[in-house]
């Protein structure tokens, strides 16, 4: 299989063939090939947005489905996400210039007292791969930093992660503070992490629990569709 891949010259493929090959290269975590394919499509007159959605986002959607179904695992998904990131580094400045539409915006961080970030990073990369703008606050994020980011970036979604049972309750501190300030309903709040479950998410007042990055992307898309539908209905 590797020998066949070595013989493929991306620039000689038709547009449709190249897009399919980019899906495969993303799946295999081949960052250089993804960047090359991205540049070829742009040189052929593809818009940055079409390149993003048809080549990169669709490729990551396939990765997400196989991750959800247990065919791919975290290390492989991280490689795919890093390849996506490489392609995005080419497209991001062009997308800003053209004002291409975004799926939505998310602020994400690991809560105060917790320094685990692999799951959070994976969610962030896969959300970006799905067309969301992602603001990553990092680890050990306290309530003031979350609130400041919400005010500054005006996201649609707030994502909180925790891997320790001792730090899980801090999610409720953040949500309760949002309630006190009257801003809770302005945002979709998604929570995730190994020790969490749906009952915990319900108890702390989150909108949804996401067991992994693929579910986070699906859930975020569903909530954005609902919000956009509600906005249209009130016009």
């Amino acid at each position: 299989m590797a020998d066949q891949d070595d013989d493929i010259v991306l620039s000689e493929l038709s547009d449709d063939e190249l897009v399919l090959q980019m899906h495969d290269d993303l799946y295999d975590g081949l960052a250089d090939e993804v960047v090359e394919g991205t540049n070829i499509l742009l040189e052929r007159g593809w818009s940055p947005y079409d390149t993003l959605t048809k080549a990169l986002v669709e490729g990551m959607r396939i990765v997400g489905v196989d991750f959800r179904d247990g065919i791919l695992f975290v290390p492989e998904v991280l490689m795919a996400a890093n390849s996506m990131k490489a392609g995005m580094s080419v497209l991001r400045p062009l997308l800003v210039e053209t004002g291409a539409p975004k799926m939505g915006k998310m602020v994400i961080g690991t809560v105060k007292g917790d320094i685990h970030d692999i799951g959070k990073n994976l969610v962030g990369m896969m959300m970006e791969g799905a067309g969301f703008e992602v603001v990553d606050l990092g680890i050990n994020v306290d309530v003031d930093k979350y609130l400041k980011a919400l005010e500054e970036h005006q996201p649609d979604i707030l994502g909180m992660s925790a891997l320790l049972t001792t730090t899980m309750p801090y999610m409720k501190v953040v949500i309760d503070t949002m309630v006190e300030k009257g801003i809770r309903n302005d945002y979709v709040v998604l929570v995730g992490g190994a020790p969490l479950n749906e009952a915990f998410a319900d108890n702390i007042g989150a909108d949804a629990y996401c067991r992994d990055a693929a579910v986070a992307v699906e859930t975020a898309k569903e909530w954005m569709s609902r919000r956009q539908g509600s906005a249209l209905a009130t016009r």
Side-chain angles (χ1 to χ4, degrees), residues 96-167:
V96 171
E97 280 177 25
T98 56
K102 280 275 182 186
M103 180 74 69
K105 186 188 285 191
M106 179 186 208
V107 162
I108 190 170
T110 303
V111 296
K112 183 180 177 182
D114 207 317
I115 60 170
H116 295 88
D117 66 355
I118 291 176
K120 169 189 66 66
N121 293 348
L122 188 55
V123 170
M125 285 190 282
M126 288 192 66
M127 289 288 289
E128 193 166 55
F132 285 84
E133 182 180 346
V134 177
V135 179
D136 189 341
L137 303 180
I139 58 174
N140 194 28
V141 182
D142 64 23
V143 64
D144 291 337
K145 190 169 182 181
Y146 278 120
L147 293 178
K148 185 177 178 184
L150 293 178
E151 184 178 352
E152 179 182 348
H153 299 288
Q154 294 295 305
D156 304 289
I157 300 168
L158 171 63
M160 292 188 284
S161 171
L163 197 69
L164 303 173
T165 54
T166 52
T167 58

Side-chain angles (χ1 to χ4, degrees), residues 28-42:
D28 294 334
L30 304 176
D32 291 345
E33 286 81 352
V34 170
V35 169
E36 183 183 352
T38 299
N39 282 317
I40 290 169
L41 288 176
L42 292 171

